[in-house]
Amino acid sequence: MAFTIEKPHNQPVNRRPKAYRVWFPSLRSGPVTSTLGIFMLSRLFSKKKRIGLMERTYRELPGYSVPTVDDVRFQVLEFEKLVKNYIQTRAGELPNEPLGKLINEVLPAYPRYPELEDHWPTFVEEAKLLRKYRNSIVHSDFGDLPEVSELYRRFKKANQTLLPFKICSGDRSRFKPICWKGETLEIKIDQEIYTLDHPDINNLLSELDPSSRGRVHFCKGRLVASKVMDYFYEKITYFIEDHPPFELSHDEAMVLEDVIQGLVGRRLYGDKTLTRP
C-alpha cells in the first residue's frame, strides 16, 4: 500500500496523534512503491500552484439571491416570446394573434403533458393571470401587482414549463487556440488574445455562470462584467479589464465555461499537454 494512516508491520510505533501519522513507503522497496512515493511528494510540492486555481477570488453581494424589478421585466418579455414559440412548435407556424387570444383560444389545444389531465388546464389559468400582470407592467400600472419576489417566481415557473428541450449548440471553434503559457491561460476569441491569470479565470467563470452573473464582488484579479445589449436577450456582451469586449450567445457562454473548467481540472491533476513555454 502506498499511503496509509496505519502502522506498517515491523516498524517502530509513531506516538503522534493517529490523524497525523503518515507513512511513505521506502524508496528502496521496489519500483512500484518508489514511483508512488515520488508522485505523492511531487503533488505535495506543487500544492502552492494548485491553490491559485482553487482559490475563491470573489464574494456574493448582499441580497444576491433576491430578484429585482429588472429580473421580473426580463421574465415578462420571455413569457410572451415563449408562448408564441411553444405554439409554433406545435402548430407548425409562428402565430400573429395577440397574446390574450393565443392564451385563451390556442394554448389549451396543445397540452405539454397530455397524460396529466389537470396539469395543462391549471397552467392555462395561471397564464391568463400572468398575461394581466404582464399588461400592468408594460403600461406601468403597478397598483394590484403581487410582491416582486412572488411575481418573479410565478413568471419563471411558467417560462420553465414552456421552455423547449434542446441540446447546447454552441461552437468551440471560436475559442481556439486555447492553451497555458506558464501559469497564464491564453484564449483566442474572434482573433483577440485574452491572457488570464488564476484570479482572472475564477472571475470570468463566475460571470459566465448564470447563477452568479452580476451578483458577486471580485476581491482579486481583473474585473469582469456582462451586459445584455441585444433587444432579443439572446446574446451577452462580456467585458474583461484591459481587454476588448466580446459577445456570446447563451449556448456559447456555456461552452466557454465548460472548456475553461475542463482545462483547469486537467491542470490541477498535472496535465501539461496544453502548456507551451
Side-chain angles (χ1 to χ4, degrees):
M1 183 163 25
F3 176 79
T4 179
I5 60 174
E6 297 293 338
K7 174 177 71 63
H9 296 294
N10 303 323
Q11 294 289 333
V13 177
N14 190 331
R15 297 299 180 186
R16 289 181 296 172
K18 188 174 181 180
Y20 297 97
R21 292 208 307 266
V22 179
W23 173 66
F24 289 97
S26 169
L27 297 182
R28 295 176 295 174
S29 58
V32 175
T33 53
S34 298
T35 302
L36 290 173
I38 293 172
F39 171 74
M40 293 168 64
L41 289 172
S42 65
R43 291 295 299 274
L44 289 174
F45 286 127
S46 64
K47 183 177 180 181
K48 289 184 178 179
K49 291 183 179 180
R50 299 201 312 274
I51 286 176
L53 288 171
M54 300 170 63
E55 183 181 11
R56 189 181 178 90
T57 60
Y58 58 86
R59 296 172 56 193
E60 289 86 359
L61 293 170
Y64 76 98
S65 61
V66 178
T68 65
V69 173
D70 288 336
D71 295 327
V72 173
R73 290 183 185 276
F74 170 74
Q75 294 297 331
V76 167
L77 291 174
E78 285 290 289
F79 176 68
E80 182 171 1
K81 181 173 69 174
L82 288 172
V83 167
K84 293 182 177 181
N85 289 345
Y86 178 82
I87 294 175
Q88 180 184 20
T89 59
R90 296 305 179 97
E93 59 180 359
L94 187 66
N96 296 319
E97 292 85 353
L99 182 62
K101 184 176 181 179
L102 293 176
I103 293 175
N104 287 301
E105 300 179 12
V106 182
L107 198 60
Y110 300 105
R112 184 67 185 263
Y113 306 107
E115 64 277 11
L116 302 176
E117 295 181 1
D118 297 332
H119 174 266
W120 199 245
T122 302
F123 174 78
V124 172
E125 291 303 315
E126 174 71 357
K128 292 177 182 178
L129 285 174
L130 293 179
R131 200 234 357 149
K132 294 180 180 179
Y133 295 147
R134 174 258 181 203
N135 291 344
S136 296
I137 292 173
V138 169
H139 298 292
S140 301
D141 182 12
F142 307 121
D144 298 325
L145 290 178
E147 294 291 331
V148 169
S149 57
E150 179 188 346
L151 203 55
Y152 173 80
R153 176 184 59 81
R154 292 172 65 176
F155 269 107
K156 186 172 183 180
K157 183 179 180 180
N159 290 343
Q160 288 173 340
T161 300
L162 295 167
L163 197 65
F165 174 80
K166 69 172 186 175
I167 299 174
C168 178
S169 59
D171 186 1
R172 295 190 177 207
S173 62
R174 287 190 63 189
F175 315 123
K176 292 180 180 180
I178 181 169
C179 63
W180 292 94
K181 186 175 182 181
E183 296 302 316
T184 301
L185 183 64
E186 286 191 354
I187 309 175
K188 190 174 184 181
I189 305 175
D190 300 334
Q191 308 306 316
E192 294 287 345
I193 296 179
Y194 297 79
T195 56
L196 306 175
D197 294 328
H198 295 169
D200 309 331
I201 295 171
N202 292 333
N203 294 349
L204 178 57
L205 287 175
S206 72
E207 201 66 18
L208 289 171
D209 189 336
S211 64
S212 56
R213 183 179 298 146
R215 301 183 179 186
V216 298
H217 167 72
F218 301 118
C219 305
K220 292 183 178 180
R222 290 186 174 92
L223 299 178
V224 182
S226 62
K227 296 181 181 294
V228 177
M229 305 176 70
D230 171 29
Y231 284 115
F232 296 98
Y233 281 85
E234 295 176 349
K235 295 185 178 180
I236 304 170
T237 303
Y238 290 87
F239 300 85
I240 301 177
E241 188 177 3
D242 300 327
H243 289 291
F246 58 93
E247 191 176 68
L248 300 178
S249 67
H250 294 283
D251 284 355
E252 288 171 336
M254 292 170 58
V255 168
L256 181 57
E257 181 183 12
D258 180 66
V259 168
I260 294 177
Q261 287 179 338
L263 287 169
V264 170
R266 291 168 63 178
R267 184 75 167 182
L268 287 172
Y269 285 92
D271 188 343
K272 302 292 185 180
T273 56
L274 295 175
T275 303
R276 69 181 187 184

